[in-house]
Amino acid sequence: MTSQNSGNRKSRLPEAPATRPAESLKQDILRHVLYSLGRDTERPDRQTVFRALALSLRDRLVEKWIASQRDIYSRSSKRVYYLSLEFLPGPFLRENLIALGLENEAREALTDMGFGLDDVADEEYEPGLGNGGLGRLASCYLDSMATLRLPAYGYGIHYAYGIFYQLIKEGRQVERADNWLRGGTHWEFERSHYVHPVRFYGQVREWVDEQGRLRHSLENATTVMAMACDMFIPGHKNDYVLNMRLWAAKTSREFEFSFFNTGDYIGAVEEKIRDENISMVLYPNDEAPEGKELRLKQQFFLVSATIQDIVRRFRKKGIAWDQLPRKNVIHLNETHPAVAIPELMRILVDEELLTWEEAWYICVRTFAYTNHTVLPEALEVWPEDLFRRLLPRHLQIIHEINRRFLHDVRRQFPNDPNILGRVSLVHEGESRWVRMSHLAIVGSFSVNGVSAHHSEILKESVFHDFYKIFPERFNNKTNGITPRRWLRQCNPTLAWLITEHIGPEWLTDLAQLKKLEPYVNSEGFHRAWMEVRLRNKHKLAEYIRDKNGITVMPESLFDVHVKRFHEYKRQLLNVLHVIALYNRIRSSPGSVTVPRTYIFGGKAAPGYYMAKHIIRLINSVAYTINTDPRVGDLLKVVFLQNYCVTLAERIIPATDLSEQISTAGMEASGTGNMKFALNGAITIGTHDGANIEIMEHVGNENLFLFGLLSHEVNEMRSQGYNPRLFYERDSELREVLDMIAGGFFSPSEPHLFRDVVESLLNHGDRYMVLADFRSYVYRQQDAANAFMDQAAWARMSMLNTSRMGFFSSDRAVDEYAKDIWGVSGV
Ligand code: TH1
């Protein structure tokens, strides 16, 4: 490494040899096969070649990362710290090749060695360190932060086991541990010398120091070490690389020899193992906190290690603490890392001896918070007792924040005494709970929602009191997705067709897709567009035949519903319609003219009974329909197991109709909706989350919206929603529900799905499935009619793609950078 160049943006670390890039890449691969992996270069297997290629790319990434860090340092830029309990990066190989501009070189190098790039890329097993949209959003944002050259860092947890691997066995979801590290790690650097202590439990000692100050310290704490594991996120062809630092828990007890001296050697080792459990597994609950002690430990573990890193970098500058917010912003992805607020207070007050007022002034200018959900059961709360036991000093600090906050609120709203109970950071009832969203709002200078509609709901209902108190904090940042992964990488032929017509600038300026619009009237472009789409559908059909043994027609309408299973996402509404179509085919052959392939995918939280039951229902319906000879090619239903980023990349480019049918007011944004539309699928969806903005951009005539609006949902509920009325009035719906309840799809266990119907008819149908059924059926008929006119459908498809520019994560991150973070590219 050449140090005389440090700080110079143009500085490159060791010059690459003057050979052809493909040749030098091949030499690197062979070197890694031999020296890093210890294998014979004569006949490496595919997995070995994949790993050697990954290591060769890591070499290039780390060089660029060091140079990027020097740039940030020398410019003394304000830094962004993005804290998230989840990241879902997906497979790295193709993404990194594209970003580094080495795709063709890799293809050539591998061909030389007798391998195909596609086969080698298929060897990669993705890190599933997130549940769904929230974690994937964090990864799209890192990609954009790197492409925009922002001085940013992602911080998360290095779970040894990510989201479970889902198997479907006899129609049921079965969970298997996801041992993503079993093949070794080829993308990251484990920094075993680089550890921070994290302290839990213990008691708070209050004492008075020589200057007469009241001091607080933690005694008898348990210490666990956090070890950094770094992964590199390159910007798109800009030589800039960011770091995603994931913390792995390591025991500190090696240093405690006394432990071993007691003679209980095995006991001591067991304790060591227990410490390392903290980062063992990702909690598999999407939008439903489990309230387990280990989860709170994980949150604090991430926060404590990260804040130590931030403070260490800040101290190196040697400037006053009140400059912290000018030089740093800490972004909280949901409330999961919100304990960062009392942790920074603790460091400033207890360790740096700032006054409370000074410390609070700094905190509130340093943190920003994104809310991702309004589901009441997803709002995170912790039992106060648990908090006190695990983080006694932090609870004291939260109480003091609350005391001062409520004091101010009382003065601001002297005539509304009830507001105090509503906004308190601690819910006081039979039991006491710490409300993490209230903590996050009170401790941040910015609170944003993730779509225009969602941000309005925050202001008008969920956080209305806070909006009255801090109106200036609330803002919207509509989610976005990275076009590098979600078009260029997952749909290379469509990307190529686009680039051929409008050039490659869309990759970093997605609004350029608008330039495609003149071509929607060109017959040649039409044909090429539909050929690419059909080829993608052929590939997916092959995959389905391989994995599920089901033959589907590539020419049929591919109707796709892939996302986490949750009742509010209403996979159940979809399957009710599938059954209605099935009944039409049986009762009046000829009435259904558009052949359809239904594709479902998604995981249910292992403890979420109804979500798992709906997966089982879909598989039972699929079996009945796929084996009924009267149906033939008109209808096929497929459940693809283990939906993940890798699988999404296969499915999305082959989709005609994208199902985004959550109950209005419940999906904060959705990001799958954007991925499908960007790839030319047409949306059938509700007036919810980002669907509304997608409609505004692509045009109402280019998607199919249906169903109640969110205020209608609220009105219907408050007037006393009676789902039975819909059942009684709609004979087609009645037949469908009676079949499910009567065991039509579960002949050997006739009562199996009765509770699904019960939840709709007798338990209030919380998600308004029956209220929206009829308008969904009509809209589905519109979609089928539209599909019959293939030229018109192609036009809609092209217009969707060309008008999706707004939904780039580059646009979203640029808004965060300008409006919230106050940073610009280096
Ligand atoms: C999701 C939201 O459901 C989705 O609408 C949104 O597009 C996405 O976040 C990104 O903004 C959420 N995922 C989680 C996961 C947990 C807790 C809350 C949410 S909200 C664990």
Side-chain angles (χ1 to χ4, degrees):
M1 163 187 326
T2 51
S3 59
Q4 70 270 26
N5 285 337
S6 78
N8 176 352
R9 175 164 4 169
K10 297 277 163 337
S11 88
R12 293 290 163 270
L13 293 141
E15 285 296 318
T19 43
R20 281 163 46 247
E23 181 57 28
S24 98
L25 186 57
K26 182 180 157 193
Q27 292 312 318
D28 283 352
I29 295 170
L30 291 172
R31 190 168 49 80
H32 278 298
V33 166
L34 180 60
Y35 295 111
S36 307
L37 301 170
R39 305 290 289 257
D40 188 345
T41 52
E42 287 293 307
R43 42 178 173 286
D45 58 21
R46 238 192 285 178
Q47 173 66 208
T48 303
V49 170
F50 160 70
R51 291 169 63 187
L53 174 55
L55 290 168
S56 308
L57 297 181
R58 190 183 69 171
D59 293 346
R60 287 154 175 79
L61 291 168
V62 71
E63 289 171 2
K64 294 182 198 292
W65 176 65
I66 301 268
S68 306
Q69 284 302 300
R70 288 180 187 167
D71 275 358
I72 297 176
Y73 187 79
S74 68
R75 284 157 190 255
S76 188
S77 310
K78 180 174 182 182
R79 291 169 153 109
V80 179
Y81 293 99
Y82 196 86
L83 272 60
S84 181
L85 267 285
E86 304 191 13
F87 287 94
L88 209 45
F92 285 106
L93 181 63
R94 278 176 222 271
E95 182 97 332
N96 287 342
L97 284 174
I98 292 170
L100 295 171
L102 285 174
E103 228 186 351
N104 292 333
E105 289 71 12
R107 205 177 290 281
E108 197 182 320
L110 293 178
T111 308
D112 241 28
M113 298 171 60
F115 292 92
L117 176 56
D118 292 341
D119 296 332
V120 170
D122 283 346
E123 289 291 315
E124 182 165 6
Y125 190 76
E126 66 170 270
L129 310 184
N131 274 289
L134 173 125
R136 182 54 232 173
L137 186 79
S139 284
C140 279
Y141 282 5
L142 288 186
D143 178 281
S144 286
M145 289 181 224
T147 294
L148 296 173
R149 305 182 65 92
L150 298 187
Y153 302 79
Y155 274 93
I157 294 183
H158 193 269
Y159 301 106
Y161 292 86
I163 186 68
F164 62 86
Y165 190 94
Q166 178 198 52
L167 294 170
I168 300 296
K169 285 202 167 159
E170 287 160 23
R172 269 181 277 206
Q173 166 173 304
V174 176
E175 299 93 18
R176 289 276 179 273
D178 159 69
N179 186 7
W180 70 285
L181 292 166
R182 66 173 168 251
T185 57
H186 9 270
W187 295 115
E188 65 189 38
F189 282 104
E190 252 192 32
R191 311 214 181 258
S192 49
H193 59 286
Y194 197 87
V195 290
H196 291 305
V198 175
R199 303 171 73 232
F200 309 95
Y201 302 116
Q203 298 88 36
V204 180
R205 183 168 78 95
E206 275 189 18
W207 46 288
V208 177
D209 67 11
E210 295 101 57
Q211 278 82 38
R213 283 178 299 221
L214 180 63
R215 303 283 298 272
H216 296 87
S217 50
L218 194 62
E219 310 269 300
N220 306 318
T222 301
T223 303
V224 174
M225 306 308 285
M227 177 183 79
C229 301
D230 290 338
M231 296 199 194
F232 302 115
I233 313 292
H236 184 70
K237 297 187 178 169
N238 65 357
D239 289 333
Y240 190 73
V241 174
L242 293 181
N243 179 6
M244 173 168 70
R245 174 159 285 177
L246 303 179
W247 300 107
K250 295 284 157 192
T251 187
S252 66
R253 294 177 206 262
E254 258 122 19
F255 314 114
E256 289 176 23
F257 292 107
S258 62
F259 223 90
F260 289 92
N261 293 341
T262 61
D264 184 11
Y265 172 75
I266 294 295
V269 173
E270 278 174 357
E271 291 268 351
K272 275 165 56 110
I273 294 170
R274 218 166 298 153
D275 289 345
E276 300 191 353
N277 278 344
I278 291 181
S279 60
M280 197 56 74
V281 60
L282 166 76
Y283 275 90
N285 305 331
D286 201 62
E287 301 201 46
E290 193 158 290
K292 290 275 161 62
E293 179 165 338
L294 179 59
R295 170 71 173 184
L296 184 56
K297 263 192 192 170
Q298 289 183 339
Q299 297 183 348
F300 182 67
F301 174 75
L302 160 63
V303 158
S304 167
T306 305
I307 301 270
Q308 289 182 62
D309 239 18
I310 297 172
V311 164
R312 173 186 59 83
R313 280 198 201 101
F314 181 72
R315 281 215 183 93
K316 277 204 280 193
K317 292 183 190 286
I319 55 178
W321 280 109
D322 64 0
Q323 298 298 302
L324 188 91
R326 215 168 57 75
K327 287 290 170 199
N328 303 280
V329 52
I330 303 178
H331 203 94
L332 306 175
N333 196 28
E334 251 301 315
T335 55
H336 314 143
V339 67
I341 294 166
E343 171 64 359
L344 184 59
M345 281 302 283
R346 188 191 63 78
I347 290 172
L348 296 176
V349 173
D350 292 0
E351 295 180 5
E352 301 297 326
L353 304 182
L354 271 60
T355 66
W356 183 277
E357 290 76 12
E358 289 167 338
W360 186 242
Y361 184 90
I362 292 168
C363 269
V364 178
R365 278 157 190 76
T366 301
F367 290 102
Y369 155 55
T370 299
N371 171 283
H372 296 263
T373 179
V374 297
L375 287 194
E377 66 268 35
L379 295 178
E380 216 186 1
V381 292
W382 288 105
E384 197 183 53
D385 291 340
L386 167 58
F387 226 105
R388 185 176 294 111
R389 211 155 38 77
L390 191 65
L391 301 168
R393 181 59 185 143
H394 296 80
L395 183 67
Q396 288 181 343
I397 291 170
I398 289 171
H399 282 157
E400 182 60 13
I401 294 171
N402 197 31
R403 191 184 66 75
R404 291 167 181 253
F405 168 61
L406 292 180
H407 176 82
D408 292 347
V409 174
R410 199 175 290 119
R411 277 210 312 222
Q412 197 184 345
F413 300 94
N415 303 321
D416 184 3
N418 293 334
I419 196 174
L420 299 177
R422 293 199 303 267
V423 299
S424 174
L425 307 200
V426 181
H427 169 84
E428 302 179 35
E430 262 172 37
S431 47
R432 291 168 56 95
W433 302 82
V434 180
R435 295 158 154 170
M436 301 306 273
S437 58
H438 295 198
L439 173 64
I441 296 170
V442 172
S444 302
F445 65 90
S446 168
V447 178
N448 76 279
V450 290
S451 72
H453 183 238
H454 166 64
S455 295
E456 284 309 307
I457 293 176
L458 292 183
K459 290 193 290 186
E460 259 138 49
S461 65
V462 188
F463 297 142
H464 183 64
D465 288 318
F466 288 100
Y467 177 55
K468 285 191 295 187
I469 301 168
F470 307 119
E472 71 291 346
R473 292 189 187 181
F474 284 78
N475 65 95
N476 173 244
K477 294 288 167 280
T478 298
N479 282 168
I481 56 171
T482 168
R484 273 77 63 186
R485 180 176 293 270
W486 295 113
L487 182 50
R488 170 64 183 81
Q489 197 233 107
C490 73
N491 201 347
T493 40
L494 197 73
W496 188 78
L497 179 64
I498 293 169
T499 299
E500 203 187 27
H501 285 79
I502 65 170
E505 286 79 29
W506 61 270
L507 278 157
T508 50
D509 177 11
L510 201 62
Q512 301 254 348
L513 288 179
K514 264 257 131 63
K515 292 187 183 158
L516 284 174
E517 277 201 30
Y519 296 101
V520 303
N521 297 317
S522 137
E523 215 178 290
F525 189 66
H526 253 231
R527 207 175 318 110
W529 189 267
M530 291 313 263
E531 269 169 25
V532 168
R533 294 188 50 77
L534 187 61
R535 210 173 321 141
N536 292 341
K537 291 170 74 178
H538 270 278
K539 277 201 227 151
L540 183 60
E542 256 170 58
Y543 181 84
I544 292 171
R545 183 158 12 85
D546 274 8
K547 299 288 169 179
N548 290 39
I550 300 171
T551 305
V552 305
M553 269 205 316
E555 294 75 18
S556 64
L557 192 169
F558 279 20
D559 183 331
V560 176
H561 203 163
V562 289
K563 51 181 79 246
R564 283 297 288 247
F565 270 77
H566 200 299
E567 284 164 283
Y568 85 82
K569 294 178 188 282
R570 298 201 296 192
Q571 285 90 354
L572 181 56
L573 175 59
N574 186 340
V575 78
L576 296 187
H577 173 249
V578 172
I579 297 169
L581 280 184
Y582 174 54
N583 290 342
R584 287 186 191 182
I585 292 170
R586 289 186 306 147
S587 64
S588 41
S591 65
V592 173
T593 47
V594 173
R596 293 210 199 210
T597 299
Y598 274 94
I599 297 167
F600 289 90
K603 296 173 185 178
Y608 189 169
Y609 168 79
M610 191 51 83
K612 292 175 98 169
H613 209 43
I614 291 168
I615 289 179
R616 196 168 176 194
L617 173 64
I618 292 170
N619 280 293
S620 301
V621 170
Y623 180 80
T624 307
I625 292 178
N626 297 343
T627 53
D628 187 333
R630 289 167 293 183
V631 175
D633 281 339
L634 272 180
L635 197 52
K636 285 279 187 297
V637 183
V638 176
F639 192 106
L640 288 174
Q641 74 181 20
N642 199 44
Y643 183 63
C644 56
V645 176
T646 307
L647 187 52
E649 290 172 4
R650 287 182 188 279
I651 294 174
I652 290 170
T655 296
D656 295 306
L657 193 61
S658 148
E659 298 272 353
Q660 308 298 337
I661 62 175
S662 52
T663 314
M666 296 199 150
E667 188 72 272
S669 165
T671 44
N673 46 5
M674 302 169 189
K675 293 162 197 167
F676 284 104
L678 181 62
N679 283 275
I682 316 299
T683 304
I684 183 162
T686 45
H687 298 262
D688 201 18
N691 294 352
I692 299 169
E693 285 159 90
I694 292 177
M695 182 265 278
E696 287 163 3
H697 281 84
V698 307
N700 201 7
E701 65 289 359
N702 295 311
L703 82 179
F704 303 99
L705 291 192
F706 71 94
L708 297 169
L709 307 183
S710 56
H711 74 89
E712 293 169 335
V713 167
N714 295 336
E715 280 154 23
M716 196 178 267
R717 278 217 188 101
S718 62
Q719 286 159 15
Y721 166 52
N722 183 0
R724 277 208 164 262
L725 282 183
F726 293 90
Y727 170 82
E728 278 152 16
R729 281 192 212 135
D730 190 326
S731 60
E732 188 168 34
L733 174 61
R734 200 159 59 235
E735 187 187 0
V736 169
L737 293 180
D738 290 348
M739 282 165 75
I740 298 172
F744 188 93
F745 301 104
S746 53
S748 58
E749 275 178 88
H751 299 319
L752 185 60
F753 297 118
R754 203 181 243 186
D755 50 359
V756 175
V757 176
E758 292 268 302
S759 79
L760 300 175
L761 292 181
N762 301 335
H763 301 299
D765 182 15
R766 194 176 151 208
Y767 302 96
M768 319 293 271
V769 172
L770 302 195
D772 274 344
F773 177 76
R774 187 46 47 192
S775 77
Y776 181 55
V777 172
Y778 282 140
R779 231 38 192 132
Q780 278 287 8
Q781 186 62 52
D782 292 342
N785 294 342
F787 193 73
M788 294 220 274
D789 183 349
Q790 279 286 298
W793 187 274
R795 203 185 136 79
M796 280 167 71
S797 167
M798 292 182 293
L799 286 176
N800 264 270
T801 301
S802 68
R803 296 176 178 175
M804 283 298 288
F806 176 76
F807 298 94
S808 169
S809 48
D810 297 341
R811 184 272 313 155
V813 165
D814 190 56
E815 287 181 10
Y816 277 92
K818 293 196 168 102
D819 304 346
I820 301 178
W821 300 335
V823 299
S824 49
V826 298

